[in-house]
Amino acid sequence: MKTKKDDRISAFFYAQHGKIGEDTTERMEFMDIEYNGQRRALIVRLDAEVDHHSAAQIRESVDAQFLRTKANHIIFDFSSLQFMDSSGIGLIMGRYRLIRPLDGKIVLAGVSEQLDRLMSLSGIYK
Amino acid sequence: MKNEMRLLFDAHSSNEAFARTAVAAFVMQLDPTLEEISDIKTALSEAVTNAIVHGYEEAEGVVEVHCRVEGRSITVSVTDTGKGIADIQKAMEPLYTGKPEAERSGMGFTVMEAFMDSVSVQSILNEGTTVTMEKQLRAHDARGTLFSAAETNHSEA
Ligand SMILES: Nc1ncnc2c1ncn2[C@@H]1O[C@H](COP(=O)(O)OP(=O)(O)O)[C@@H](O)[C@H]1O
Ligand SMILES: [Mg+2]
């Protein structure tokens, strides 16, 4: 699985195809989903406790935006994350399955030390 | 000193956050580090989620959380009276999930084992499951020193 735990957005995105679709931002109580047409990337900022309960809602919103924008990449920004358990790992792996056929990437940004321990356990950086 | 508490709640996914918060509040009496609190909340969340998702398969049921502190050691157990586990050893393997279609990662037990000192599972098919986890919190040397220093100052004043 190609993921990067890098606070900067990879230069990879700048090298992508021209802009498709309008840049948009959807704001919800527990997250923002921004679409960057230039980079064909969805930027998902989670301001939430990610567990089995909330993962269902997050998944639904991200997938709806993914289908609407035809994004190639998904950037998860965890800098405002309040909690995450292995349901979040399932959520990330599920989105990876969505973008894999598009040759897309998942980028994990704002990963705290605690979250890094969880991610490392699951081998998600591979 | 020993101190115990029990929670009984309906197997609704919205109660996962409630259970984490309640256990974290109870454990605060031991003045844990942020990392210890986070470890306990994560492990507890895994066990409660498993009771709801796998034990009761998101149907009706009651989850019991039992929490006991003694000295600096904490024991948390999570019990459901749901479907039980046929092969505990297999269930505890990293990446094993009985529900791959539900985007489960199969990492729940692995997380519990990594974030707590010990995890044991008792289960009877069609009767239910109890997961018991223990963690020894770090001794509070630094804080103890701070406390006695403050007291010394006070008596001098
Ligand atoms: N309380 C439970 N009741 C019945 N089965 C359980 C319970 N807890 C765990 N299991 C079984 O063990 C498997 C592994 O659990 P876990 O490591 O948390 O992964 P996940 O929840 O992602 O499937 C589950 O998929 C399920 O089959
Ligand atoms: Mg689980």
Side-chain angles (χ1 to χ4, degrees):
Chain A
M1 181 158 177
K2 279 206 178 72
T3 53
K4 281 194 179 159
K5 47 161 187 168
D6 193 338
D7 277 320
R8 292 151 307 158
I9 292 160
S10 162
F12 177 85
F13 294 104
Y14 297 98
Q16 282 303 292
H17 324 265
K19 178 168 169 161
I20 55 153
E22 287 297 299
D23 289 1
T24 55
T25 306
E26 185 191 10
R27 288 187 204 290
M28 280 154 285
E29 209 183 312
F30 51 95
M31 68 174 165
D32 293 346
I33 307 179
E34 191 183 312
Y35 177 63
N36 185 313
Q38 193 73 43
R39 297 166 196 165
R40 302 178 86 164
L42 277 186
I43 303 155
V44 181
R45 290 196 189 87
L46 289 161
D47 184 358
E49 298 199 13
V50 179
D51 61 9
H52 153 254
H53 179 71
S54 67
Q57 288 172 280
I58 296 166
R59 172 164 51 238
E60 206 173 290
S61 305
V62 171
D63 289 0
Q65 290 295 331
F66 173 77
L67 290 173
R68 190 187 64 77
T69 60
K70 303 188 175 63
N72 273 6
H73 313 286
I74 303 177
I75 301 165
F76 285 100
D77 179 350
F78 294 112
S79 48
S80 299
L81 186 78
Q82 286 138 43
F83 174 83
M84 189 168 125
D85 65 18
S86 74
S87 304
I89 301 290
L91 181 80
I92 296 167
M93 299 203 303
R95 296 322 108 230
Y96 178 66
R97 267 175 232 124
L98 281 182
I99 61 149
R100 192 170 42 188
L102 308 171
D103 225 10
K105 284 192 178 178
I106 297 266
V107 177
L108 309 176
V111 176
S112 70
E113 221 171 281
Q114 187 75 19
L115 183 58
D116 187 57
R117 283 174 64 211
L118 182 75
M119 303 273 201
S120 303
L121 268 183
S122 63
I124 208 166
Y125 293 136
K126 276 204 295 282
Chain B
M1 193 201 64
K2 164 190 95 79
N3 195 7
E4 290 185 67
M5 72 92 164
R6 272 168 221 274
L7 295 172
L8 283 174
F9 53 88
D10 283 333
H12 299 158
S13 64
S14 60
N15 283 333
E16 291 156 9
F18 160 73
R20 289 196 296 273
T21 311
V23 167
F26 184 72
V27 171
M28 284 315 283
Q29 63 192 288
L30 297 185
D31 204 2
T33 63
L34 284 176
E35 189 186 324
E36 286 168 337
I37 274 286
S38 177
D39 287 357
I40 293 164
K41 282 173 78 171
T42 310
L44 189 269
S45 192
E46 298 295 349
V48 168
T49 301
N50 281 353
I52 294 170
V53 174
H54 305 296
Y56 295 119
E57 304 200 281
E58 313 218 24
E60 256 176 56
V62 173
V63 180
E64 177 172 351
V65 173
H66 176 209
C67 199
R68 175 194 165 100
V69 298
E70 184 159 17
R72 299 208 47 78
S73 128
I74 158 161
T75 309
V76 192
S77 64
V78 177
T79 300
D80 67 70
T81 55
K83 77 172 200 179
I85 305 175
D87 185 342
I88 295 173
Q89 214 179 331
K90 184 169 157 207
M92 292 180 83
E93 276 171 19
L95 301 174
Y96 172 81
T97 179
K99 291 195 189 305
E101 72 289 352
E103 288 197 353
R104 309 297 314 155
S105 62
M107 292 303 295
F109 279 123
T110 308
V111 168
M112 291 182 243
E113 287 182 315
F115 289 7
M116 301 293 279
D117 295 338
S118 74
V119 178
S120 67
V121 181
Q122 281 176 299
S123 190
I124 299 174
L125 214 50
N126 300 316
E127 287 190 21
T129 302
T130 295
V131 175
T132 305
M133 303 177 279
E134 290 178 349
K135 192 175 181 71
Q136 182 75 32
L137 303 192
R138 261 167 293 177
H140 261 184
D141 293 345
R143 204 161 178 284
T145 314
L146 258 182
F147 257 42
S148 49
E151 271 162 26
T152 315
N153 282 343
H154 189 252
S155 58
E156 276 169 7

